[in-house]
Every structure is written in structure tokens, then in C-alpha cells.
């Protein structure tokens, strides 16, 4: 059954892809990115560690799909340092930070005021750093953040404690109408 269900899902996505008119490139790209993301989650993330390049490709696809949903003019930037290299990391550690930022990004009338910056770098001594900054509506943002279960970040913190004990840090801070989360992992090969 574990093989039939994904096979069916990918067949349906493939059918939808070909049902979309060829000149509707945006819709075709959306289906294609979704298919790549599902393939990664179902087939690639079955091991304890994965090459960072695959994890970063997944994040790029996720941001691309989310960007299609954002209002035109939203200031959305994903910067991945070119010196990342090759090392192994536990799969799906970056996603909860990025998901949270998209979930809580502000919704100002002027879309250029809605900002989301994601920076992924590698510092000396094998320190992998993910920094996510997003604007949020400070008037309703505090209430939304308080009413949010925060389950994704709690699960992330538990996973980090198990997988990288004493070799990680995660910090969160609010400043005016911005919210910043920084994850640092001392990885090992």
C-alpha cells in the first residue's frame, strides 16, 4: 500500500499537468514544483541524514510555490550562500522556520511593505545558519502569535535536541513589526 498511494498521487499530478493548457506556464510550474516536493518528502526523506543540496532544493521549490500565492510587489528574498558545499543534515529542519514566516507575514495594503527574507549561509567551523525575517502586522500579529499552537517550532526544537544535542541554537526576536528566527547547527560529516 505504501507504494500504491504515492504512485496514484503522482499519476494524478501528471494528469493534471497535461490537462493544463500549454500556454499556462505558471500553473504547469506549480504542479511540477508540487510533484518535486512530494517526491522529496516521500522518497528522499526516508533516511536520517540527507545531502544539504537536496534540502536546499526543497526549500527553493517551497519558496517558489509560496511566491506564486503572494501579492505582486511583496518583498520576498531567498539568499543561499554559494559556499555551502556538501554535507549531510537531518531532513526537513529548515521548513518549519520558512513555513512560519509565510504563515505570519504581514498583510499590509501596500504589498511592498510585506517583507520576507531568508538567508542560508555557512560560517567557519562548520556552522550552518538559517536566518528568517518577516514583517507582521503588530496590531494583530501579537494576538495571532499568541493564539498559534507553535507546534512546528516545538517539534523542531525537540528534533534538534535529539539530533544535535549541544550543537545547535534557535533564537527568536521581535523588533517593531518584524519577527526574526535564527537557527544555527554545528553539523558533522
Amino acid at each position: 500500500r505504501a507504494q500504491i498511494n504515492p504512485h496514484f498521487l503522482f499519476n494524478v499530478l501528471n494528469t493534471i499537468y497535461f490537462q493544463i493548457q500549454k500556454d499556462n506556464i505558471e500553473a504547469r510550474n506549480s504542479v511540477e514544483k508540487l510533484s518535486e516536493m512530494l517526491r522529496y518528502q516521500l522518497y528522499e526523506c526516508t533516511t536520517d541524514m540527507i545531502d544539504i543540496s537536496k534540502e536546499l532544493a526543497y526549500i527553493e521549490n517551497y519558496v517558489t510555490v509560496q511566491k506564486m500565492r503572494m501579492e505582486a510587489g511583496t518583498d520576498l528574498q531567498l539568499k543561499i550562500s554559494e559556499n555551502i558545499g556538501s554535507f549531510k543534515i537531518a531532513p526537513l529542519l529548515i521548513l518549519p522556520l520558512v513555513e512560519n514566516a509565510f504563515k505570519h507575514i504581514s498583510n499590509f495594503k501596500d504589498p511592498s511593505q510585506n517583507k520576507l527574507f531568508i538567508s542560508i549561509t555557512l560560517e567557519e567551523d562548520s556552522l550552518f545558519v538559517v536566518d528568517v525575517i518577516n514583517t507582521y502586522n503588530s496590531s494583530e500579529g501579537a494576538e495571532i502569535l499568541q493564539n498559534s499552537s507553535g507546534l512546528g517550532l516545538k517539534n523542531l526544537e525537540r528534533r534538534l535536541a535529539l539530533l544535535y544535542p549541544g550543537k545547535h541554537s534557535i533564537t527568536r526576536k521581535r523588533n517593531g513589526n518584524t519577527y526574526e528566527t535564527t537557527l544555527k547547527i554545528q553539523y558533522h560529516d
Side-chain angles (χ1 to χ4, degrees):
R1 280 194 331 193
Q3 289 179 335
I4 292 171
N5 288 337
H7 184 71
F8 170 76
L9 181 62
F10 286 115
N11 281 342
V12 170
L13 285 171
N14 200 31
T15 300
I16 293 169
Y17 178 87
F18 285 107
Q19 288 176 336
I20 298 170
Q21 292 181 359
K22 288 185 180 183
D23 61 341
N24 192 340
I25 295 167
E26 192 172 283
R28 283 180 159 233
N29 284 342
S30 295
V31 171
E32 188 175 4
K33 294 292 179 199
L34 176 61
S35 181
E36 289 173 18
M37 292 170 65
L38 288 171
R39 188 169 282 109
Y40 176 74
Q41 285 186 344
L42 291 169
Y43 300 122
E44 301 284 336
C45 293
T46 57
T47 61
D48 292 339
M49 302 297 259
I50 193 152
D51 193 77
I52 189 63
S53 63
K54 291 181 179 182
E55 183 78 358
L56 295 177
Y58 179 81
I59 294 300
E60 287 176 319
N61 283 339
Y62 182 86
V63 169
T64 299
V65 169
Q66 288 292 347
K67 190 173 192 175
M68 292 177 201
R69 297 180 54 224
M70 305 299 292
E71 191 171 347
T74 300
D75 189 0
L76 175 59
Q77 298 176 35
L78 171 63
K79 294 186 179 179
I80 299 175
S81 180
E82 291 182 17
N83 73 336
I84 296 289
S86 179
F87 61 92
K88 302 261 186 215
I89 189 171
L92 301 172
L93 287 179
I94 304 167
L95 184 62
L97 304 177
V98 176
E99 278 180 330
N100 255 18
F102 277 103
K103 179 180 177 182
H104 296 292
I105 190 170
S106 57
N107 193 20
F108 296 118
K109 288 186 185 205
D110 175 4
S112 66
Q113 290 183 318
N114 302 315
K115 301 177 186 307
L116 197 161
F117 305 128
I118 303 164
S119 170
I120 301 174
T121 58
L122 189 64
E123 295 180 2
E124 291 181 31
D125 301 323
S126 304
L127 190 63
F128 180 67
V129 181
V130 178
D131 191 46
V132 181
I133 303 170
N134 65 281
T135 53
Y136 70 96
N137 296 25
S138 54
S139 58
E140 56 191 60
E143 182 181 320
I144 290 170
L145 288 172
Q146 285 173 348
N147 293 334
S148 176
S149 68
L151 192 58
L153 288 180
K154 287 176 188 170
N155 285 339
L156 174 62
E157 288 173 352
R158 279 189 225 123
R159 285 186 69 208
L160 288 167
L162 291 170
L163 298 168
Y164 298 94
K167 294 185 176 190
H168 75 279
S169 69
I170 187 164
T171 57
R172 290 175 234 139
K173 60 184 170 187
R174 281 185 236 178
N175 184 12
N177 70 336
T178 62
Y179 192 81
E180 180 175 9
T181 306
T182 304
L183 169 65
K184 296 182 179 185
I185 298 174
Q186 184 78 45
Y187 71 88
H188 46 65
D189 275 336

